[in-house]
Amino acid sequence: MLAEFDLIRRYFMSPQEAQATDGVALGNGDDATLLLPQAGQQLVVSVDTSVTDVHFPCDAPAYAIGHRALAVALSDLAAMGAASRWCLMALTLDQRVFTDSEMAEHWLSEYASGFHTLCQRHATILVGGDVTSGALTIGVTVMGEVPIGKAMTRSGAQAGDAIAVTGALGGGAGGLGLWKQGERDISHPLLQRYLLPEPRLAAGIALRGIATAAMDISDGLLADLAHLRNASKVGAAIDLEALPLVDGLEHQVGLEAARKAALSGGDDYELLVTLAPADVALAQAELAKLGIPLTVIGRCSETLGVTGVAPADYIGWQHFSGVTL
Amino acid sequence: MLAEFDLIRRYFMSPQEAQATDGVALGNGDDATLLLPQAGQQLVVSVDTSVTDVHFPCDAPAYAIGHRALAVALSDLAAMGAASRWCLMALTLDQRVFTDSEMAEHWLSEYASGFHTLCQRHATILVGGDVTSGALTIGVTVMGEVPIGKAMTRSGAQAGDAIAVTGALGGGAGGLGLWKQGERDISHPLLQRYLLPEPRLAAGIALRGIATAAMDISDGLLADLAHLRNASKVGAAIDLEALPLVDGLEHQVGLEAARKAALSGGDDYELLVTLAPADVALAQAELAKLGIPLTVIGRCSETLGVTGVAPADYIGWQHFSGVTL
């Protein structure tokens, strides 16, 4: 018998005591966590839920499930240009999938490893959480900081600004497609992109003060661009040929399907930013230092709406689409 | 068809624009929320997950589900003596339970009403969230503030301190029992206690600087007291006859079962505090101003362990108990 408190202690307590500089005055193990945000910073918070068979395949590797649940949440901090500091994890576990305790321990240890490894990579401390039973669901709350007034938002784009994306697109949809076809070699580059996305935190910080608007691409480029356009009250002209497609995707599915994946597949967790044309070269140089490409894919226009893509490409990820709710 | 973004906008955007004094620099609708914590305060954060048929009956009124999911999270802030300020809600909705859109709208509107009403009562602003599909699960992250160094923790109890509880105990278990027996009149006092618990935020703030240790009673008095004893390295002598039983419970189930509910039933969301004996009267006077009783139910001892109760009473709520995980 593994009680809830043992579970939490064993896998989710921070491996080492938090340091004073970490801003954690009281960590795991009390009713709540006490944090000391830094003076001159705004607190940047977001929550993301990952549900089995909705956001990830139920048979995905546990390591990837832990990594991915945190990555998609951190991606929102990246989009604000925030430095990540702390997170909370609400884990709902379906005990019925474990036929024996060895299997359960293995799953949990792999899951925790995926989660903690990404935490360490981004100096993020797991400061609290909750473990309950039910259908596997992971809610991650992330908290970061940004100097007051310096956060990137969705609403600052101006007509004439360049539209650019970090990295390459289409890997999320391409990886999901491969997984559905039975590919299980997790070292496959497309599966890496789908199952182990890297939140663009360093890129977000580097683009702070340069980009006029930013958001992350989680629902698909066009769907997310629509949010940015609405918030900024601009239109967009997209240059289809400029879309940076993830390596190997065109070879796998053909050019048309690859572009469709890039436009509306979702799950890419790249940053979508707008920039004054004069700042594009500076932004590209800053990201080049991090080894991250930044590709101009279009331009903001005064005329609302989108040009350069067919209406059929304009379908984003909607949890409730097609359902009469 | 009700898309995810419409859903969020319709029911979960803050009804009015946040004020500058609310510390919300950028609210719902961007990748993340920007908050401005007050100088001289520590940030107090906690997350609680409520799963259908685990933490509440699937056929509970939607208003109560919304209220309760927030209440159990706020209860943790109360236990720290924090003032509640902001919350995030991760709602996973099972669309299959809605046979038509009218039913869905009614459920969501009632749910949102329960959630928002409690938000307003405790000056808590819903600053972000996430709506996904899956088994009904609600994760609530709450954020409050407490002056630096003034939070109540579980670890400050000393041998000789009085052990006291706010309000009355046994209502959670009593209400759950009634619900299982088919009682559906939500105005029944025991159902109110189970389905619509009131987090003791004002009591927590009033006890700040007086209580030596504090926590909330969610898993059952004895189970929670064990956490406090372990954190403070003290034992406890309980006075069974002093337990404040919720009105009507003894009449409903008899004295023995009522005491058992108070000791280990859980879901009461009262505060469990320890106090120097000289401060008991002051604490009681402060809570009397709020109309909340504070009852001494025992004393901390140097000898570890608990006296005054039978071992059989010593069973708390364990999500994974009895399951080989």
Side-chain angles (χ1 to χ4, degrees):
Chain A
M1 191 184 103
L2 195 56
E4 183 183 0
F5 302 108
D6 291 331
L7 248 183
I8 296 172
R9 202 172 302 120
R10 232 145 112 194
Y11 294 108
F12 303 116
M13 295 299 236
S14 291
Q16 67 272 342
E17 285 297 303
Q19 307 293 312
T21 51
D22 294 334
V24 182
L26 183 70
N28 283 314
D30 213 294
D31 288 276
T33 300
L34 295 178
L35 303 174
L36 201 50
Q38 297 182 93
Q41 302 275 320
Q42 282 170 325
L43 189 71
V44 188
V45 296
S46 181
V47 62
D48 259 297
T49 309
S50 297
V51 181
T52 189
D53 276 334
V54 177
H55 300 90
F56 57 87
C58 64
D59 56 348
Y63 183 95
I65 294 173
H67 172 106
R68 201 173 183 289
L70 177 59
V72 303
L74 287 177
S75 184
D76 287 317
L77 296 190
M80 306 298 285
S84 176
R85 299 209 66 196
W86 310 293
C87 67
L88 302 162
M89 183 192 60
L91 172 64
T92 305
L93 268 182
D94 190 345
Q95 315 154 47
R96 294 165 306 180
V97 306
F98 302 124
T99 53
D100 59 46
S101 62
E102 202 176 314
M103 185 188 175
E105 298 244 4
H106 178 74
W107 193 95
L108 277 168
S109 125
E110 285 292 304
Y111 169 88
S113 173
F115 196 96
H116 286 309
T117 301
L118 192 63
C119 273
Q120 280 161 19
R121 194 174 307 154
H122 294 290
T124 302
I125 303 170
L126 177 64
V127 292
D130 187 26
V131 179
T132 50
S133 64
L136 178 59
T137 306
I138 306 149
V140 177
T141 302
V142 287
M143 290 172 282
E145 288 183 323
V146 67
I148 291 174
K150 299 295 183 195
M152 301 188 290
T153 68
R154 300 176 177 184
S155 59
Q158 308 257 346
D161 281 357
I163 300 171
V165 295
T166 60
L169 302 177
L176 174 58
L178 269 188
W179 183 271
K180 284 181 175 168
Q181 287 165 31
E183 176 64 61
R184 289 296 181 272
D185 176 5
I186 195 156
S187 70
H188 191 294
L190 289 178
L191 284 193
Q192 290 267 323
R193 298 277 312 184
Y194 172 57
L195 289 173
L196 298 167
E198 288 298 336
R200 295 297 196 187
L201 287 155
I205 292 169
L207 290 167
R208 213 162 65 189
I210 307 178
T212 53
M215 67 179 299
D216 77 322
I217 302 175
S218 53
D219 295 332
L221 171 64
L222 290 177
D224 289 318
L225 179 61
H227 299 308
L228 190 148
R229 288 191 291 109
N230 289 338
S232 293
K233 299 186 177 62
V234 294
I238 297 296
D239 176 3
L240 212 54
E241 309 211 337
L243 288 181
L245 301 175
V246 76
D247 280 348
L249 183 61
E250 185 180 344
H251 176 75
Q252 196 91 32
V253 300
L255 180 60
E256 198 176 343
R259 281 188 178 155
K260 178 121 184 159
L263 289 169
S264 57
D267 282 329
D268 282 331
Y269 302 103
E270 295 291 353
L271 296 186
L272 168 66
V273 299
T274 57
L275 298 150
D279 290 333
V280 169
L282 170 64
Q284 287 174 326
E286 289 297 321
L287 292 208
K289 293 179 195 164
L290 303 169
I292 302 169
L294 180 71
T295 309
V296 174
I297 60 160
R299 192 163 292 273
C300 297
S301 61
E302 273 185 39
T303 317
L304 301 187
V306 176
T307 59
V309 291
D313 291 325
Y314 200 87
I315 301 158
W317 174 246
Q318 286 272 321
H319 290 295
F320 294 99
S321 70
V323 177
T324 304
L325 186 85
Chain B
M1 192 184 101
L2 194 56
E4 183 184 2
F5 303 107
D6 290 333
L7 248 182
I8 295 172
R9 203 171 300 121
R10 231 144 115 192
Y11 292 108
F12 303 117
M13 295 299 237
S14 291
Q16 67 272 339
E17 285 297 304
Q19 307 293 310
T21 52
D22 293 333
V24 182
L26 183 70
N28 283 313
D30 213 295
D31 288 274
T33 300
L34 295 178
L35 303 173
L36 200 50
Q38 296 181 95
Q41 303 274 320
Q42 281 169 325
L43 189 70
V44 188
V45 296
S46 182
V47 63
D48 260 298
T49 310
S50 297
V51 181
T52 188
D53 276 334
V54 178
H55 301 91
F56 58 86
C58 64
D59 56 348
Y63 183 95
I65 294 174
H67 172 105
R68 201 173 183 290
L70 177 60
V72 303
L74 287 176
S75 184
D76 287 317
L77 296 190
M80 306 297 285
S84 175
R85 299 208 67 195
W86 310 293
C87 67
L88 301 162
M89 183 191 60
L91 172 63
T92 305
L93 269 182
D94 190 346
Q95 315 153 49
R96 294 165 308 180
V97 307
F98 303 124
T99 53
D100 60 46
S101 63
E102 202 176 315
M103 184 187 176
E105 299 243 2
H106 179 73
W107 193 96
L108 277 168
S109 127
E110 285 294 303
Y111 170 88
S113 174
F115 196 97
H116 286 311
T117 302
L118 192 62
C119 272
Q120 280 162 18
R121 195 175 307 153
H122 294 290
T124 301
I125 304 171
L126 177 64
V127 292
D130 187 27
V131 179
T132 49
S133 65
L136 178 58
T137 306
I138 307 149
V140 177
T141 301
V142 286
M143 290 172 281
E145 288 182 324
V146 67
I148 291 173
K150 299 294 184 198
M152 302 188 290
T153 68
R154 300 176 177 184
S155 59
Q158 308 257 347
D161 281 357
I163 300 170
V165 294
T166 59
L169 302 176
L176 175 59
L178 268 188
W179 183 271
K180 285 180 173 168
Q181 285 164 33
E183 177 64 60
R184 290 294 181 272
D185 176 5
I186 195 159
S187 69
H188 190 294
L190 289 178
L191 284 193
Q192 291 266 322
R193 298 278 309 187
Y194 172 57
L195 289 174
L196 298 168
E198 288 298 338
R200 294 299 196 187
L201 286 156
I205 291 169
L207 289 167
R208 213 162 64 189
I210 307 177
T212 54
M215 67 179 299
D216 76 323
I217 302 176
S218 52
D219 295 332
L221 172 63
L222 290 177
D224 288 319
L225 180 60
H227 299 308
L228 190 147
R229 288 190 291 107
N230 290 338
S232 293
K233 299 185 177 62
V234 295
I238 297 296
D239 177 3
L240 212 54
E241 309 212 335
L243 288 181
L245 302 175
V246 76
D247 280 349
L249 183 62
E250 185 181 344
H251 176 75
Q252 197 91 29
V253 299
L255 180 60
E256 198 176 342
R259 281 188 180 155
K260 178 120 185 157
L263 288 170
S264 58
D267 281 330
D268 282 332
Y269 302 102
E270 296 290 355
L271 296 186
L272 168 66
V273 298
T274 58
L275 299 150
D279 290 332
V280 169
L282 170 63
Q284 287 175 326
E286 289 298 320
L287 291 209
K289 293 178 195 166
L290 303 168
I292 301 169
L294 181 71
T295 309
V296 173
I297 61 161
R299 192 163 293 270
C300 297
S301 60
E302 274 184 39
T303 317
L304 301 187
V306 176
T307 59
V309 292
D313 291 327
Y314 200 85
I315 301 159
W317 173 247
Q318 286 273 322
H319 290 294
F320 294 98
S321 70
V323 177
T324 304
L325 186 80

